[in-house]
Amino acid sequence: MKKRFLTWTLILFAIYGVLIGLYLFQWAEFGVPEAYQGTSADPATFMTAKELAQSQDYSRYKDFLYFVSLPLEWIIYLGVMIFGISTVFKQSSERVSRFSIVHIPVYVLLLSTLTWMLTFPVDYISRRLSLSYGISTQTFSDWMKDELISFWVGYIIMALLITVLYTLMRKFEKRWWLYASILMMPFLVFMMYLQPVVIDPLYNEFSDLKDKNLEAKILSLADEANVPAERVYEVNMSEETNSMNAYVNGIGSNLRIVLWDTTLNRLQEKEVLFIMAHEIGHYVMHHLYWNLFGAVAAAFIGLYLAYHLMKYSVRRWGDKLNIKSVSDIAGLPVLFIILSLLSFAATPVELAISRNAEMDADVYAIEMTQNPEAAVGAFQELTVNGLSEVNPPALVKYLRYGHPTMMERIHLLEQYQQIE
């Protein structure tokens, strides 16, 4: 079984990699349709020949790396089960302490460490790719610091979730998925409250916006939209990246309006105001809460399906994989595979909803600022700065893009200008 797993994994992964490579580098159509050529959405009108070439190359390599790495964790989890590593991890966690509450966090730590080590080369290649095209500016030591912070933050959250989940599995054999879904709501609300003031500062330094004139204008927009913000935060990102970003996140007293310093350095004031109006639009249209509702609904459906698929998997392969029951922690990799596959299957729907919300926020920002020229300039600069592909291949768009393509966004602005 082990030899067959290795053989078929290598064969299928090689075929998959070749097909993805052919799609991205040979079959997929890049560039702008004829109807958009010469318009503001045509990168040839605002990018140099070198930037155009870099944009296409960077997009292809980045997308190839994403798709090739997509099944890696599934393969790792399968290997952990087939080679008996999961059983070893379970036995090791039981030897650490006689208290059962310690066993699950130790098991999760062992599995997380192995997964992190095996996927680290892909993360490193992604970093090198970003550096070579001038997107990332982060030193290796700072990058490693962020990697380790992400690992430990992710581990603490995962260990807590898995401990609660498996406790529910043991106590409520037929209803654990329901109780876990119910608990997701307060957990996600708590994380939304915690994120801006506890987790985000672990990675970057936040300070009050230095440009007080710009801050006053942003807060005026926020006040017009009834956003309860008293200040605007500036985050130092220029030491890590040349990319630009801005966002409104958090809830209650922890709500924050945040601007990356790269955005401040590269956009004109009127363009920054459009970007902030877009982010304010998300708040006004309650997209944050709709995201919360969607996450809870997805958890309900996903855990219900996982409940049935996990039962079937244990019944079908439990003896071969040494999984005694659904609540046996040794079967966690199987649960991870199931949840990951369900998440992947839901991705096109989730991204389509996200793209629609982003387009609504664009419309809100245009109506609020009444400056489509600034909006076009902001999107063009974002495209140049991030070497973005304005019209990505269909597979990339529907499996990776949570925002409309730049071509679609700029075209919307042009239509608004024509109406005006």
Side-chain angles (χ1 to χ4, degrees):
M1 187 177 182
K2 296 175 184 177
K3 185 177 180 181
R4 189 164 65 243
F5 169 76
L6 283 174
T7 302
W8 279 106
T9 296
L10 290 173
I11 292 173
L12 293 176
F13 189 74
I15 294 173
Y16 170 73
V18 169
L19 290 175
I20 290 296
L22 287 172
Y23 175 78
L24 291 174
F25 292 93
Q26 298 293 331
W27 301 335
E29 290 291 333
F30 280 81
V32 178
E34 186 175 348
Y36 296 96
Q37 291 177 7
T39 69
S40 301
D42 184 354
T45 64
F46 59 87
M47 296 177 79
T48 66
K50 180 181 179 181
E51 288 169 340
L52 277 170
Q54 287 182 325
S55 171
Q56 290 191 1
D57 291 343
Y58 178 61
S59 297
R60 286 187 176 102
Y61 289 129
K62 181 178 63 175
D63 293 333
F64 178 76
L65 187 62
Y66 167 80
F67 283 110
V68 167
S69 63
L70 189 62
L72 282 184
E73 284 198 2
W74 307 338
I75 295 170
I76 291 169
Y77 293 141
L78 274 175
V80 165
M81 296 303 305
I82 291 172
F83 285 89
I85 299 173
S86 183
T87 301
V88 173
F89 285 170
K90 176 187 174 183
Q91 293 169 347
S92 298
S93 67
E94 291 171 348
R95 285 195 293 268
V96 168
S97 172
R98 62 188 179 89
F99 298 106
S100 59
I101 196 169
V102 176
H103 299 164
I104 292 177
V106 173
Y107 178 95
V108 172
L109 177 60
L110 294 171
L111 182 62
S112 298
T113 302
L114 177 65
T115 305
W116 183 83
M117 291 173 62
L118 292 176
T119 56
F120 179 82
V122 174
D123 294 334
Y124 181 76
I125 293 171
S126 178
R127 170 185 176 269
R128 291 298 305 173
L129 178 65
S130 184
L131 278 171
S132 65
Y133 280 90
I135 305 300
S136 173
T137 59
Q138 195 173 25
T139 64
F140 178 76
S141 59
D142 284 345
W143 177 75
M144 275 302 303
K145 184 189 76 172
D146 286 351
E147 285 285 302
L148 291 173
I149 290 173
S150 295
F151 173 82
W152 285 110
V153 170
Y155 163 69
I156 291 169
I157 294 172
M158 185 60 66
L160 174 64
L161 289 175
I162 298 302
T163 299
V164 172
L165 182 62
Y166 271 78
T167 300
L168 293 174
M169 284 179 172
R170 289 167 184 165
K171 291 188 175 182
F172 309 102
E173 183 180 345
K174 295 183 179 180
R175 291 288 182 269
W176 62 264
W177 61 273
L178 177 60
Y179 299 133
S181 301
I182 293 171
L183 289 175
M184 282 300 292
M185 173 69 83
F187 172 75
L188 290 173
V189 170
F190 177 70
M191 289 303 298
M192 287 168 61
Y193 185 78
L194 209 64
Q195 178 89 26
V197 296
V198 176
I199 297 178
D200 289 347
L202 293 174
Y203 296 91
N204 303 105
E205 179 183 346
F206 289 76
S207 62
D208 290 347
L209 183 62
K210 299 180 184 66
D211 187 338
K212 295 304 176 183
N213 180 55
L214 176 60
E215 181 180 46
K217 292 181 179 180
I218 293 173
L219 290 177
S220 177
L221 290 176
D223 184 63
E224 183 182 339
N226 295 318
V227 177
E230 298 179 355
R231 68 189 67 174
V232 179
Y233 290 88
E234 180 178 339
V235 56
N236 179 17
M237 290 296 297
S238 55
E239 294 180 356
E240 297 182 15
T241 181
N242 284 317
S243 296
M244 297 183 290
N245 197 15
Y247 57 87
V248 177
N249 74 341
I251 56 175
S253 60
N254 284 355
L255 183 137
R256 284 189 171 187
I257 297 177
V258 179
L259 272 166
W260 286 12
D261 63 339
T262 49
T263 305
L264 295 167
N265 295 338
R266 289 174 172 79
L267 294 185
Q268 299 176 25
E269 182 181 276
K270 59 185 180 180
E271 295 169 343
V272 172
L273 290 174
F274 170 80
I275 295 296
M276 292 315 305
H278 169 95
E279 298 303 327
I280 289 170
H282 284 305
Y283 181 89
V284 170
M285 290 181 280
H286 307 297
H287 289 161
L288 196 65
Y289 297 103
W290 279 111
N291 287 343
L292 173 63
F293 174 78
V296 173
F300 180 86
I301 297 170
L303 287 170
Y304 174 74
L305 293 174
Y307 163 74
H308 289 285
L309 292 171
M310 193 66 185
K311 263 204 325 183
Y312 172 79
S313 299
V314 172
R315 186 171 63 249
R316 180 72 172 79
W317 298 291
D319 291 339
K320 292 181 180 179
L321 299 177
N322 200 22
I323 307 173
K324 297 176 182 178
S325 66
V326 169
S327 60
D328 184 355
I329 191 61
L332 180 60
V334 177
L335 180 62
F336 277 171
I337 292 172
I338 290 170
L339 291 174
S340 181
L341 288 172
L342 289 173
S343 176
F344 176 73
T347 294
V349 176
E350 293 173 356
L351 292 180
I353 294 171
S354 176
R355 288 193 297 271
N356 185 67
E358 294 294 339
M359 191 68 82
D360 287 343
D362 282 348
V363 172
Y364 178 90
I366 299 168
E367 293 176 348
M368 181 177 234
T369 61
Q370 293 293 310
N371 196 339
E373 293 85 0
V376 170
F379 285 151
Q380 289 179 340
E381 185 61 30
L382 283 166
T383 302
V384 174
N385 192 255
L387 294 180
S388 304
E389 178 60 43
V390 298
N391 185 34
L395 188 66
V396 175
K397 174 183 175 180
Y398 294 117
L399 289 180
R400 296 209 66 190
Y401 273 49
H403 289 70
T405 66
M406 282 300 184
M407 186 179 73
E408 293 169 333
R409 301 180 84 173
I410 295 175
H411 179 61
L412 172 70
L413 298 174
E414 289 187 325
Q415 287 182 315
Y416 186 85
Q417 286 175 308
Q418 290 170 5
I419 292 174
E420 290 292 298

